[in-house]
Amino acid sequence: MTGPANSSSTRPAKRSRIAVVTALAGDRDDLQDPEVRFDSADYIAFVDSPEKHRSDVWDVRQLPTGWSLDEKYADRRHAKLPKILPDLVLPNHDFSVWVDANIELTTDPLELCRRFLRDDKEIAVFPHRERTCPHAELLMVRIAKLDVRRNLDLIKREYRTRNVGRNAGLYELPFIVRRHGERSLRF
C-alpha cells in the first residue's frame, strides 16, 4: 500500500503544503465543489477549459494539453498528467492527495498524509475493490476500449517478461496520497 522509506523526509507537519488535486478534460464531467473543504490543504483542479469550470472551492488551473500523440485518447491522457506527476505541476507543495473528479474527500488531507505516509513512506495507493489480477484488468481495459490495442499488447508482453502471475495484486488509483520530492519524481 505504501512505497519505500526515505530517511531524509519527516512526517507532514502543520506547516507542510498539501494539495488536494483533480483534473478534468473533455466534456464527460463537470467540476463539482466538495461539500466539505478542509483548511489544511489547497484545492487545485486542472481543467482543459477553465472558462467552463467555475468553482468557489477549487483553484481552477489550465491543464497542460497537446502532448498526447493519440487524438482519440488525448483527453484521458491529458487528465493523467497531474495525477502521475503532481510534483511537476505543483512544485510548491510537499504533499498531494489525488482524487478523481467523481470522488468526494471526507477526511482531512493532513490526517491522510499523517496516517498513510508515516515512517517516511512516499506514496499510498489502495487495493482494487473488484479485481486482484492485472491480466483481468488489462482485459477490462481492452473490452472498454480505454486504450489502443498496440499499447495493451505491449503491456501484456511486459507482464510475461516480468512473470506477473494471475492474482498478483492490483491497485485502484482514483485516490492517491503522495509525498513530493526527488524520489517521487524518479518514480
Side-chain angles (χ1 to χ4, degrees), residues 37-76:
R37 185 193 189 288
F38 296 94
D39 292 333
S40 64
D42 300 323
Y43 285 67
I44 301 168
F46 290 92
V47 299
D48 60 350
S49 301
E51 64 283 350
K52 176 185 168 192
H53 299 282
R54 302 288 180 208
S55 174
D56 293 327
V57 175
W58 297 99
D59 173 2
V60 177
R61 299 183 183 181
Q62 179 66 50
L63 178 68
T65 60
W67 55 269
S68 176
L69 301 177
D70 189 323
E71 191 173 315
K72 181 177 179 181
Y73 299 102
D75 289 343
R76 292 179 58 78

Coordinates of all heavy atoms in Angstrom, one line a residue, residues 37-76:
R37 N -14.8 21.3 2.9 CA -13.4 21.8 2.5 C -12.6 21.8 3.8 O -13.0 22.4 4.8 CB -13.5 23.2 1.8 CG -12.1 23.6 1.4 CD -12.1 25.1 1.0 NE -10.9 25.4 0.3 CZ -9.7 25.5 0.9 NH1 -9.6 25.2 2.2 NH2 -8.6 25.8 0.2
F38 N -11.4 21.3 3.7 CA -10.5 21.2 4.8 C -9.5 22.3 4.7 O -8.8 22.5 3.6 CB -9.8 19.9 5.0 CG -10.8 18.8 5.2 CD1 -11.4 18.0 4.2 CD2 -11.2 18.5 6.5 CE1 -12.3 17.0 4.5 CE2 -12.1 17.5 6.8 CZ -12.7 16.8 5.8
D39 N -9.2 23.1 5.7 CA -8.3 24.2 5.7 C -6.8 23.8 5.6 O -6.0 24.6 5.4 CB -8.5 25.2 6.9 CG -9.8 25.9 6.8 OD1 -10.3 26.1 5.7 OD2 -10.3 26.3 7.9
S40 N -6.6 22.5 5.8 CA -5.2 22.0 5.8 C -4.6 21.9 4.4 O -3.4 21.6 4.3 CB -5.1 20.7 6.5 OG -5.9 19.7 5.8
A41 N -5.4 22.1 3.4 CA -4.9 21.9 2.0 C -5.5 22.9 1.1 O -6.5 23.6 1.3 CB -5.4 20.5 1.6
D42 N -4.7 23.1 0.0 CA -5.2 23.9 -1.1 C -5.9 22.9 -2.1 O -5.5 21.8 -2.2 CB -4.0 24.4 -1.9 CG -3.1 25.4 -1.1 OD1 -3.6 26.1 -0.2 OD2 -1.9 25.3 -1.2
Y43 N -7.0 23.4 -2.7 CA -7.8 22.6 -3.6 C -7.5 23.1 -5.0 O -7.8 24.2 -5.3 CB -9.3 22.7 -3.3 CG -9.6 21.9 -2.0 CD1 -9.2 22.2 -0.8 CD2 -10.4 20.7 -2.1 CE1 -9.5 21.5 0.4 CE2 -10.8 20.0 -1.0 CZ -10.3 20.4 0.2 OH -10.6 19.6 1.3
I44 N -6.9 22.2 -5.8 CA -6.5 22.6 -7.2 C -7.1 21.7 -8.2 O -6.9 20.4 -8.1 CB -4.9 22.6 -7.2 CG1 -4.4 23.6 -6.2 CG2 -4.5 23.0 -8.7 CD1 -2.9 23.5 -6.0
A45 N -7.7 22.2 -9.2 CA -8.3 21.5 -10.3 C -7.7 21.9 -11.6 O -7.7 23.1 -11.9 CB -9.8 21.6 -10.3
F46 N -7.1 20.9 -12.3 CA -6.6 21.2 -13.6 C -7.7 20.8 -14.6 O -8.1 19.7 -14.6 CB -5.3 20.4 -13.9 CG -4.2 20.8 -13.0 CD1 -3.9 20.3 -11.8 CD2 -3.3 21.8 -13.5 CE1 -2.9 20.7 -11.0 CE2 -2.3 22.3 -12.7 CZ -2.0 21.7 -11.5
V47 N -8.0 21.8 -15.5 CA -9.1 21.5 -16.5 C -8.6 22.0 -17.8 O -7.8 23.0 -17.9 CB -10.4 22.2 -16.1 CG1 -10.9 21.6 -14.7 CG2 -10.3 23.7 -16.0
D48 N -9.2 21.5 -18.9 CA -8.8 21.9 -20.2 C -9.5 23.2 -20.7 O -9.1 23.8 -21.6 CB -8.9 20.8 -21.2 CG -10.4 20.3 -21.3 OD1 -11.2 20.6 -20.5 OD2 -10.6 19.5 -22.2
S49 N -10.6 23.5 -20.0 CA -11.4 24.7 -20.3 C -11.7 25.4 -19.0 O -12.8 25.3 -18.5 CB -12.7 24.3 -21.0 OG -12.5 23.6 -22.2
P50 N -10.8 26.2 -18.5 CA -11.0 27.0 -17.3 C -12.3 27.8 -17.3 O -13.0 28.0 -16.3 CB -9.8 27.8 -17.1 CG -8.7 27.1 -17.8 CD -9.4 26.4 -19.0
E51 N -12.6 28.4 -18.5 CA -13.8 29.3 -18.6 C -15.1 28.5 -18.3 O -16.1 29.1 -17.9 CB -13.8 30.0 -19.9 CG -13.9 29.1 -21.1 CD -12.7 28.4 -21.5 OE1 -11.6 28.7 -21.0 OE2 -12.8 27.5 -22.4
K52 N -15.0 27.2 -18.6 CA -16.2 26.4 -18.4 C -16.4 25.9 -17.0 O -17.6 25.7 -16.5 CB -16.1 25.1 -19.3 CG -17.2 24.1 -19.2 CD -17.0 22.9 -20.0 CE -18.0 21.8 -19.6 NZ -17.6 20.5 -20.1
H53 N -15.4 25.8 -16.2 CA -15.4 25.2 -14.9 C -15.2 26.3 -13.8 O -14.1 26.7 -13.6 CB -14.4 24.1 -14.7 CG -14.6 23.0 -15.7 ND1 -15.5 22.0 -15.5 CD2 -14.0 22.6 -16.8 CE1 -15.5 21.1 -16.4 NE2 -14.5 21.5 -17.3
R54 N -16.3 26.8 -13.3 CA -16.2 27.8 -12.2 C -16.3 27.1 -10.8 O -17.0 26.1 -10.7 CB -17.3 28.8 -12.3 CG -17.3 29.5 -13.7 CD -16.1 30.5 -13.7 NE -16.1 31.2 -15.0 CZ -15.0 31.7 -15.5 NH1 -13.9 31.5 -14.9 NH2 -15.1 32.3 -16.7
S55 N -15.7 27.6 -9.8 CA -15.7 27.0 -8.5 C -15.5 28.0 -7.4 O -14.8 29.0 -7.5 CB -14.6 25.9 -8.4 OG -14.5 25.4 -7.1
D56 N -16.2 27.7 -6.3 CA -16.0 28.5 -5.1 C -14.9 27.9 -4.2 O -14.5 28.5 -3.2 CB -17.3 28.6 -4.3 CG -18.3 29.4 -5.0 OD1 -17.9 30.4 -5.7 OD2 -19.5 29.1 -4.9
V57 N -14.5 26.6 -4.5 CA -13.6 25.9 -3.7 C -12.3 25.6 -4.4 O -11.2 25.9 -3.9 CB -14.2 24.5 -3.2 CG1 -13.2 23.7 -2.4 CG2 -15.4 24.8 -2.4
W58 N -12.3 25.1 -5.6 CA -11.2 24.7 -6.4 C -10.5 26.0 -7.0 O -11.1 26.9 -7.5 CB -11.6 23.8 -7.5 CG -12.1 22.5 -7.1 CD1 -13.5 22.2 -7.1 CD2 -11.4 21.4 -6.7 NE1 -13.6 20.9 -6.6 CE2 -12.4 20.4 -6.4 CE3 -10.1 21.0 -6.5 CZ2 -12.1 19.1 -5.9 CZ3 -9.7 19.8 -6.0 CH2 -10.7 18.8 -5.8
D59 N -9.1 25.9 -6.9 CA -8.3 26.9 -7.7 C -8.2 26.2 -9.0 O -7.5 25.3 -9.2 CB -6.9 27.0 -7.0 CG -5.9 27.8 -7.8 OD1 -6.3 28.3 -8.9 OD2 -4.8 27.9 -7.3
V60 N -8.9 26.8 -10.0 CA -9.1 26.2 -11.3 C -7.9 26.6 -12.2 O -7.7 27.8 -12.3 CB -10.4 26.5 -12.0 CG1 -10.5 26.0 -13.4 CG2 -11.6 26.1 -11.2
R61 N -7.1 25.7 -12.7 CA -5.9 26.0 -13.5 C -6.0 25.3 -14.8 O -6.6 24.2 -15.0 CB -4.7 25.5 -12.7 CG -4.5 26.2 -11.4 CD -3.2 25.8 -10.7 NE -3.0 26.4 -9.4 CZ -2.0 26.2 -8.6 NH1 -1.0 25.4 -9.0 NH2 -2.0 26.8 -7.5
Q62 N -5.2 25.8 -15.8 CA -5.2 25.2 -17.1 C -4.4 23.9 -17.1 O -3.3 23.8 -16.6 CB -4.5 26.2 -18.1 CG -4.3 25.7 -19.5 CD -5.6 25.5 -20.2 OE1 -6.5 26.4 -20.2 NE2 -5.9 24.3 -20.8
L63 N -5.1 22.9 -17.6 CA -4.4 21.6 -17.7 C -3.5 21.6 -18.9 O -3.8 22.0 -20.0 CB -5.5 20.5 -18.0 CG -5.1 19.1 -18.2 CD1 -4.6 18.5 -16.9 CD2 -6.3 18.3 -18.7
P64 N -2.2 21.1 -18.7 CA -1.3 21.0 -19.8 C -1.8 20.0 -20.8 O -2.1 18.9 -20.5 CB 0.0 20.5 -19.1 CG -0.1 20.7 -17.7 CD -1.6 20.7 -17.4
T65 N -2.0 20.5 -22.0 CA -2.5 19.6 -23.1 C -1.6 19.7 -24.3 O -0.7 20.5 -24.4 CB -4.0 20.1 -23.5 OG1 -3.9 21.4 -24.0 CG2 -4.9 20.0 -22.4
G66 N -2.0 18.9 -25.3 CA -1.3 19.0 -26.6 C -0.1 18.0 -26.7 O 0.6 18.0 -27.7
W67 N 0.2 17.3 -25.7 CA 1.3 16.4 -25.7 C 1.0 14.9 -26.1 O 1.8 14.1 -26.5 CB 2.1 16.4 -24.4 CG 1.2 16.1 -23.2 CD1 0.6 17.0 -22.4 CD2 0.9 14.8 -22.7 NE1 -0.1 16.3 -21.5 CE2 0.1 15.0 -21.6 CE3 1.3 13.5 -23.0 CZ2 -0.4 13.9 -20.8 CZ3 0.8 12.4 -22.3 CH2 0.0 12.7 -21.2
S68 N -0.3 14.5 -26.0 CA -0.7 13.2 -26.4 C -0.7 13.0 -27.9 O -1.1 13.9 -28.7 CB -2.1 12.9 -25.9 OG -2.5 11.6 -26.4
L69 N -0.1 11.9 -28.4 CA 0.0 11.6 -29.8 C -1.2 11.0 -30.4 O -1.3 10.8 -31.6 CB 1.2 10.8 -30.1 CG 2.6 11.4 -29.6 CD1 3.7 10.4 -29.9 CD2 2.8 12.7 -30.3
D70 N -2.1 10.6 -29.5 CA -3.3 9.8 -30.0 C -4.6 10.7 -29.7 O -5.0 10.8 -28.5 CB -3.4 8.5 -29.2 CG -4.5 7.6 -29.8 OD1 -5.6 8.1 -30.2 OD2 -4.3 6.4 -29.8
E71 N -5.2 11.3 -30.7 CA -6.3 12.2 -30.5 C -7.5 11.5 -29.8 O -8.2 12.1 -29.0 CB -6.7 12.8 -31.9 CG -7.7 13.9 -31.7 CD -7.9 14.5 -33.1 OE1 -7.0 14.8 -33.8 OE2 -9.1 14.8 -33.4
K72 N -7.7 10.2 -30.1 CA -8.9 9.6 -29.6 C -8.8 9.5 -28.0 O -9.8 9.6 -27.4 CB -9.0 8.1 -30.1 CG -10.2 7.4 -29.6 CD -10.2 6.0 -30.3 CE -11.4 5.2 -29.7 NZ -11.5 3.9 -30.3
Y73 N -7.6 9.3 -27.5 CA -7.5 9.2 -26.1 C -6.8 10.4 -25.4 O -6.4 10.3 -24.2 CB -6.6 7.9 -25.8 CG -7.3 6.6 -26.2 CD1 -6.9 6.0 -27.4 CD2 -8.4 6.1 -25.6 CE1 -7.5 4.9 -27.9 CE2 -9.0 5.0 -26.0 CZ -8.6 4.3 -27.2 OH -9.2 3.2 -27.6
A74 N -6.7 11.5 -26.1 CA -6.0 12.6 -25.6 C -6.6 13.2 -24.3 O -5.8 13.5 -23.4 CB -5.9 13.7 -26.7
D75 N -7.9 13.3 -24.2 CA -8.5 13.9 -23.0 C -8.1 13.0 -21.8 O -7.7 13.6 -20.8 CB -10.0 13.9 -23.1 CG -10.4 15.0 -24.1 OD1 -9.6 15.9 -24.4 OD2 -11.6 15.0 -24.6
R76 N -8.2 11.7 -21.9 CA -7.9 10.8 -20.8 C -6.4 11.0 -20.4 O -6.1 11.0 -19.2 CB -8.2 9.4 -21.2 CG -9.6 9.0 -21.4 CD -9.8 7.6 -21.8 NE -9.2 6.6 -20.8 CZ -9.8 6.3 -19.6 NH1 -11.0 6.8 -19.3 NH2 -9.2 5.5 -18.8

